[in-house]
Amino acid sequence: MLAVHFGAGNIGRGFIGNLLYHSKYETCFVDVNSEIVNLLNEKNEYRVVLAEPTQEEVTIKNVRAINSASNPEQVIAAIAEADLVTTAIGPNILPLIAGLIADGLRKRVEQTDKPLNIIACENMIGGSSLLKEKIFEKLTADEQSQFEGRFGFPDSAVDRIVPNQVNVDKLMVKVEPFYEWVVEEPKIIGEKPPVKGITYVQELVPYIERKLFTVNTGHALAAYFGYYFGMDTINHAMENKQILELVEGALKESGAFLVEKYGFNEEEHNKYIQKIIGRFSNSYIVDEVTRVARSPIRKLGPNDRLVSPARQYQEIVGKNPEYLLKGIAAALMYGFQGDEEAVQVQAAINEQGLETTIEKLTQLDGTSSLVKGIIEQYHQL
Ligand SMILES: NC(=O)C1=CN([C@@H]2O[C@H](COP(=O)(O)OP(=O)(O)OC[C@H]3O[C@@H](n4cnc5c(N)ncnc54)[C@H](O)[C@@H]3O)[C@@H](O)[C@H]2O)C=CC1
Ligand SMILES: O=P(O)(O)OC[C@H]1O[C@](O)(CO)[C@@H](O)[C@@H]1O
């Protein structure tokens, strides 16, 4: 079985590639980083090390790679033959690979009528659906109806913390032991990809909201408050009592609406929160706050990990959240010069003012109590 995976980065090698290998796939990575592509083709294997006391190590074999910038025709040929296509490249990059995938699918229909599933493994709601939309924009109406029944784009939720790392062995990747990959079954076309480690569910939304608004909300808050209080890494931030309380406070707020909305068991959900806080505090992982805080414009978006839980808390619980709004304020203050989006946010606040910037980024109404609450928290910080 052949899997074509876009993005040979942390999640690509450390998580998805790992599961694909253990499920007997040959994995063809597609990336634009020529160093990583060349190394993968030279070695055809790499190591994954677990960030825990045992430092257990596995060797992932049966891998190769294609540089899509220089060899797009090879990517097209690989998609035409693939049994599964996956991505872990970042939400902002998905639209950029849509044309190449569309060409691959065109070639495939000339060669075979075998169905294919394309699964985006990104930190976002509806990643595969977005990729489908962008691919379908490239197609004629006839192609759209032909592709509709043949290619599935099930959405998915992926959870595994893999920090940025510089290792002597450049292919080696250190990952936390925990992982979860949930895929929506109804949108699969043909047989379910037999990947050991995928949990197939009938309805993904509760899983992805629980994950995004707990793991990613808490992580982002640890990063934004960590940066605000001058911390370098997430586990150092979590050692700070004040930050721990702020993160726990926000997760109790997101938990309150998640439990109400989806009927999760409250006690189980509290255990889930504590488990996640434990994962953030893993001292075997050196995860810089600037990685977890990256791309604040994306993270301040209306459907992302900060604004969506704040809005849903207000709608479902019936009052303004406190910690989530404080977290949004901390994200607005994030001024790391090495992050282009952080620089843009600071410039927007200086040039257009706080309220207009909040409105533009979050798409919340400037007169709403949520925006007023964010402004109040911003001035208190
Ligand atoms: N690192 C983590 O702990 C987690 C990350 N994620 C999500 O997984 C996705 C990937 O994140 P990471 O692996 O951490 O990022 P990363 O930066 O380590 O890897 C991304 C890879 O995509 C490649 N890439 C960029 N543009 C490309 C293009 N046009 N075509 C092909 N490849 C391209 C890059 O060269 C890089 O190797 C993101 O959506 C992230 O939110 C999800 C869960 C956990
Ligand atoms: O990858 P994003 O969306 O920038 O979010 C940052 C953080 O969220 C996580 O992916 C957790 O799932 C972190 O490991 C991580 O990097």
Side-chain angles (χ1 to χ4, degrees):
M1 291 183 297
L2 172 66
V4 173
H5 176 87
F6 284 77
N10 292 327
I11 286 297
R13 272 176 295 135
F15 182 8
I16 309 299
N18 187 343
L19 293 195
L20 290 172
Y21 169 64
H22 285 106
S23 307
K24 307 218 174 336
Y25 282 85
E26 175 200 5
T27 301
C28 175
F29 287 101
V30 177
D31 208 296
V32 289
N33 181 329
S34 48
E35 188 182 21
I36 293 292
V37 167
N38 293 342
L39 279 168
L40 282 166
N41 285 331
E42 191 185 307
K43 314 256 184 221
N44 298 119
E45 64 177 40
Y46 62 89
R47 292 182 298 142
V48 174
V49 176
L50 290 188
E52 61 174 0
T54 62
Q55 305 273 305
E56 193 187 312
E57 184 180 305
V58 283
T59 301
I60 308 305
K61 297 184 178 167
N62 212 8
V63 295
R64 60 187 166 96
I66 302 171
N67 188 329
S68 49
S70 48
N71 293 309
E73 69 297 337
Q74 288 184 15
V75 181
I76 291 167
I79 292 172
E81 289 174 5
D83 297 288
L84 175 65
V85 172
T86 50
T87 78
I89 50 171
N92 299 342
I93 313 283
L94 284 179
L96 309 183
I97 60 166
L100 194 52
I101 299 182
D103 288 342
L105 298 181
R106 280 194 185 102
K107 179 148 186 108
R108 186 183 178 92
V109 293
E110 288 167 17
Q111 296 181 187
T112 173
D113 55 6
K114 254 177 43 186
L116 179 69
N117 291 289
I118 297 132
I119 310 177
C121 307
E122 317 286 349
N123 268 339
M124 67 186 291
I125 290 173
S128 309
S129 302
L130 173 73
L131 184 58
K132 177 181 180 183
E133 186 189 314
K134 296 296 166 192
I135 291 171
F136 273 51
E137 282 172 11
K138 314 275 180 200
L139 305 176
T140 63
D142 280 353
E143 284 173 330
Q144 285 180 3
S145 49
Q146 185 186 21
F147 285 20
E148 194 61 67
R150 200 172 296 184
F151 303 126
F153 292 84
D155 284 314
S156 88
V158 287
D159 188 5
R160 174 169 240 180
I161 297 174
V162 189
N164 283 338
Q165 43 202 289
V166 183
N167 300 312
V168 180
D169 170 357
K170 292 198 170 144
L171 289 182
M172 189 267 246
V173 55
K174 200 174 205 184
V175 304
E176 70 164 335
F178 176 89
Y179 67 82
E180 187 175 60
W181 185 4
V182 187
V183 174
E184 59 177 348
E185 191 172 332
K187 285 200 198 145
I188 296 275
I189 296 197
E191 283 175 20
K192 281 186 288 186
V195 180
K196 288 183 204 148
I198 289 186
T199 304
Y200 287 100
V201 296
Q202 289 304 308
E203 210 198 329
L204 183 72
V205 179
Y207 290 92
I208 195 150
E209 288 218 337
R210 183 177 63 169
K211 182 256 168 182
L212 197 65
F213 302 148
T214 315
V215 182
N216 298 104
T217 300
H219 218 190
L221 259 59
Y224 291 123
F225 287 125
Y227 187 83
Y228 176 79
F229 285 109
M231 306 292 166
D232 54 352
T233 63
I234 295 294
N235 73 305
H236 286 153
M238 297 305 288
E239 282 167 7
N240 177 304
K241 270 212 162 85
Q242 211 176 340
I243 299 178
L244 177 64
E245 268 175 41
L246 290 163
V247 171
E248 273 187 319
L251 295 189
K252 277 190 187 139
E253 289 174 344
S254 70
F257 90 76
L258 286 167
V259 164
E260 182 73 27
K261 184 173 175 184
Y262 295 116
F264 295 129
N265 176 291
E266 196 173 341
E267 204 178 310
E268 288 299 316
H269 190 75
N270 287 337
K271 283 191 199 150
Y272 179 68
I273 291 176
Q274 289 312 319
K275 181 168 182 170
I276 284 161
I277 286 178
R279 290 170 57 202
F280 296 163
S281 307
N282 183 348
S283 61
Y284 292 88
I285 287 187
V286 180
D287 204 358
E288 287 170 4
V289 294
T290 50
R291 179 192 81 86
V292 180
R294 69 185 170 193
S295 317
I297 294 182
R298 169 166 58 90
K299 291 186 172 124
L300 283 161
N303 299 318
D304 215 289
R305 64 208 74 186
L306 303 172
V307 175
S308 180
R311 196 185 54 238
Q312 295 201 62
Y313 179 91
Q314 194 203 43
E315 284 164 8
I316 294 169
V317 180
K319 57 182 181 183
N320 264 4
E322 179 189 341
Y323 295 94
L324 288 166
L325 297 190
K326 218 185 263 301
I328 295 173
L332 286 159
M333 296 184 115
Y334 180 63
F336 176 53
Q337 291 299 301
D339 190 313
E340 212 177 291
E341 289 193 14
V343 173
Q344 283 175 32
V345 173
Q346 298 318 306
I349 294 171
N350 286 335
E351 287 156 22
Q352 298 158 38
L354 183 59
E355 189 182 308
T356 307
T357 305
I358 296 173
E359 270 193 302
K360 283 193 179 156
L361 295 176
T362 65
Q363 289 176 30
L364 292 169
D365 180 347
T367 61
S368 67
S369 66
L370 281 178
V371 173
K372 288 193 170 52
I374 296 167
I375 294 173
E376 208 174 289
Q377 294 292 351
Y378 184 93
H379 291 305
Q380 277 177 23
L381 278 174

